[in-house]
């Protein structure tokens, strides 16, 4: 489940959008105080921010700048302000998209998925540049130190997801929910078996570290 912080002082709108987005397995946290929102982002991990520009006490453009100074997280501006200068300034400050109000919640959901896909691709590219792993999703091939790893579809899905999260702990539930080739009814035991096979194929079992009670971590 991906986690979204919605910084919006129109709580009625926020409730409508939250109910809609939760249908798509997003967890939405709403904050109408921009100062608190910036503090929350320092303490909790989020996958994306939906940011209004007209906020009490602090302009949304300032919030965007404050977020960008501290972390690289996708930001979608959701604003009734129609001045093109605001849009240009928001994009210059690092916003990933700008959605003028009013809009259909379906468009917001589509924009979220689009931004997250671009962000994931960018993150994977950065990770691969520093990694001995190279993953080509178009041909479903993974190499390690130049050597091609012969993988099943499910094994490719697991290892490619681990590569995208290299250095971070990945739970078994994350793998079940994010790897299309794995049946959602799969057990933790079946995940463990597939990870074991991947370790053997890599030829170095220490590359994938077990994290007791949680899942696995592909080491850098």
């Amino acid at each position: 489940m991906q986690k979204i912080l919605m910084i919006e002082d129109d709580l009625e709108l926020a409730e409508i959008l939250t109910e809609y987005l939760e249908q798509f397995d997003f967890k939405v946290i709403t904050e109408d105080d921009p100062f608190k929102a910036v503090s929350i982002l320092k303490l909790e991990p989020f996958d994306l921010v939906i940011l209004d520009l007209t906020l009490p006490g602090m302009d949304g453009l300032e919030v965007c700048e404050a977020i960008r100074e501290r972390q690289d997280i996708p930001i979608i501006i959701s604003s009734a302000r129609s001045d093109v200068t605001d849009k240009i300034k928001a994009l210059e400050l690092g916003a990933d998209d700008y959605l003028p109000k009013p809009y259909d919640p379906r468009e917001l959901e589509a924009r979220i998925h689009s931004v997250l896909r671009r962000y994931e691709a960018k993150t994977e590219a950065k990770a691969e540049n520093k990694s001995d792993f190279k993953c080509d999703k178009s041909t479903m091939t993974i190499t390690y130190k130049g050597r091609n790893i012969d993988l099943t579809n499910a094994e490719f899905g697991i290892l490619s997801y681990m590569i995208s999260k290299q250095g971070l702990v990945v739970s078994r539930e994350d793998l079940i929910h994010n790897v299309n080739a794995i049946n959602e009814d799969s057990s933790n035991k079946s995940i463990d078996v597939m990870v074991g096979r991947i370790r053997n194929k890599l030829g170095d079992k220490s590359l994938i570290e077990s994290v007791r009670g949680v899942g696995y971590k592909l080491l850098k």
Side-chain angles (χ1 to χ4, degrees):
M1 179 177 288
Q2 290 174 302
K3 194 173 171 185
I4 295 173
L5 177 62
M6 185 182 300
I7 309 173
E8 171 64 67
D9 66 341
D10 184 341
L11 297 182
E12 183 177 352
L13 173 63
E15 184 177 354
I16 292 170
L17 294 175
T18 296
E19 289 181 2
Y20 183 80
L21 293 175
E22 284 177 345
Q23 300 176 70
F24 300 93
D25 208 27
F26 290 114
K27 181 179 181 181
V28 182
I29 306 298
T30 300
E31 181 52 66
D32 61 350
D33 184 324
F35 297 98
K36 288 183 181 178
V38 173
S39 296
I40 289 171
L41 280 168
K42 295 177 186 177
L43 302 174
E44 297 181 39
F46 286 88
D47 296 290
L48 182 137
V49 173
I50 299 172
L51 173 62
D52 186 20
L53 291 187
T54 306
L55 296 166
M58 186 179 187
D59 187 79
L61 292 173
E62 294 177 82
V63 178
C64 183
E65 186 174 19
I67 294 171
R68 252 317 151 255
E69 285 176 351
R70 293 174 174 84
Q71 61 192 122
D72 181 20
I73 183 173
I75 301 173
I76 295 178
I77 302 295
S78 162
S79 177
R81 279 157 50 174
S82 58
D83 189 341
V84 69
T85 304
D86 285 327
K87 181 176 182 178
I88 293 170
K89 184 64 174 177
L91 296 173
E92 287 177 344
L93 289 172
D96 297 272
D97 204 347
Y98 192 104
L99 188 57
K101 296 176 182 176
Y103 53 78
D104 190 305
R106 291 175 296 179
E107 182 176 4
L108 176 62
E109 182 261 330
R111 298 283 188 105
I112 289 171
H113 282 294
S114 177
V115 167
L116 287 174
R117 281 195 300 269
R118 293 200 306 267
Y119 180 77
E120 182 180 351
K122 181 179 73 172
T123 302
E124 287 180 6
K126 285 182 179 179
E128 283 196 23
N129 287 335
K130 301 177 182 178
S131 173
D132 289 324
F133 287 95
K134 302 298 176 187
C135 177
D136 186 341
K137 290 187 177 180
S138 64
T139 59
M140 293 188 66
T141 57
I142 293 176
T143 61
Y144 176 64
K145 291 185 176 179
R147 177 173 63 88
N148 186 64
I149 311 299
D150 185 21
L151 302 164
T152 66
N153 287 349
E155 291 166 359
F156 172 84
I158 290 172
L159 186 53
S160 64
Y161 185 76
M162 285 186 173
I163 290 170
S164 73
K165 305 291 184 181
Q166 194 167 0
L168 303 175
V169 177
V170 174
S171 71
R172 294 173 179 85
E173 290 75 19
D174 286 336
L175 294 171
I176 291 172
H177 292 146
N178 289 284
V179 178
N180 292 332
I182 296 178
N183 191 303
E184 291 238 346
D185 297 325
S186 297
S187 65
N188 287 345
K189 180 63 177 176
S190 65
I191 298 296
D192 293 340
V193 169
M194 285 187 277
V195 171
R197 291 203 300 259
I198 294 170
R199 279 178 168 147
N200 290 332
K201 291 180 179 182
L202 289 174
D204 184 351
K205 295 183 179 181
S206 67
L207 286 171
I208 300 177
E209 180 181 282
S210 294
V211 180
R212 188 172 182 179
V214 182
Y216 301 97
K217 179 166 68 172
L218 183 64
L219 301 181
K220 293 185 178 182

